[in-house]
C-alpha cells in the first residue's frame, strides 16, 4: 500500500510505502512509513480522539503527534 508524502515547501505529493491501522476499540492509530529514498522511515503509535462534529466529509477521528489539549 502506498501513502502520500507532501513536500511542505513545494506542496508536491509523492506516493511512499507504508500503512496505517486504526483500532476503534482502543482509539489507537499505528502508522508505518518506510521510504528511505525520501528520508521517511518512521513508526508512530498515536491516540485518536473522536471528532465532536460528524457528517459527510468531516473526519470521524483526529490524531496528532502534538498535544491536542493545548489547541
Amino acid at each position: 500500500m502506498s501513502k502520500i508524502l507532501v513536500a511542505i515547501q513545494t506542496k508536491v505529493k509523492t506516493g511512499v510505502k507504508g500503512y496505517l491501522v486504526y483500532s476503534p476499540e482502543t482509539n489507537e492509530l499505528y502508522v508505518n512509513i518506510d521510504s528511505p529514498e525520501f528520508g521517511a522511515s518512521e513508526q508512530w503509535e498515536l491516540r485518536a480522539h473522536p471528532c465532536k462534529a460528524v457528517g459527510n466529509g468531516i473526519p470521524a477521528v483526529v490524531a496528532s503527534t502534538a498535544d491536542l489539549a493545548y489547541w
Side-chain angles (χ1 to χ4, degrees):
M1 173 184 287
S2 79
K3 298 293 177 200
I4 302 297
L5 182 69
V6 179
I8 294 173
Q9 297 85 359
T10 63
K11 298 185 181 179
V12 173
K13 297 177 183 177
T14 305
V16 296
K17 296 175 185 165
Y19 61 91
L20 172 123
V21 177
Y22 171 63
S23 171
E25 291 85 20
T26 62
N27 282 333
E28 293 175 325
L29 283 174
Y30 178 77
V31 182
N32 182 308
I33 297 174
D34 186 25
S35 288
E37 63 273 20
F38 293 105
S41 293
E42 301 186 26
Q43 298 176 355
W44 299 294
E45 291 182 29
L46 304 173
R47 185 93 175 137
H49 302 276
C51 293
K52 293 179 182 177
V54 294
N56 192 17
I58 298 174
V61 297
V62 64
S64 173
T65 57
D67 187 353
L68 298 176
Y70 294 104
W71 287 59

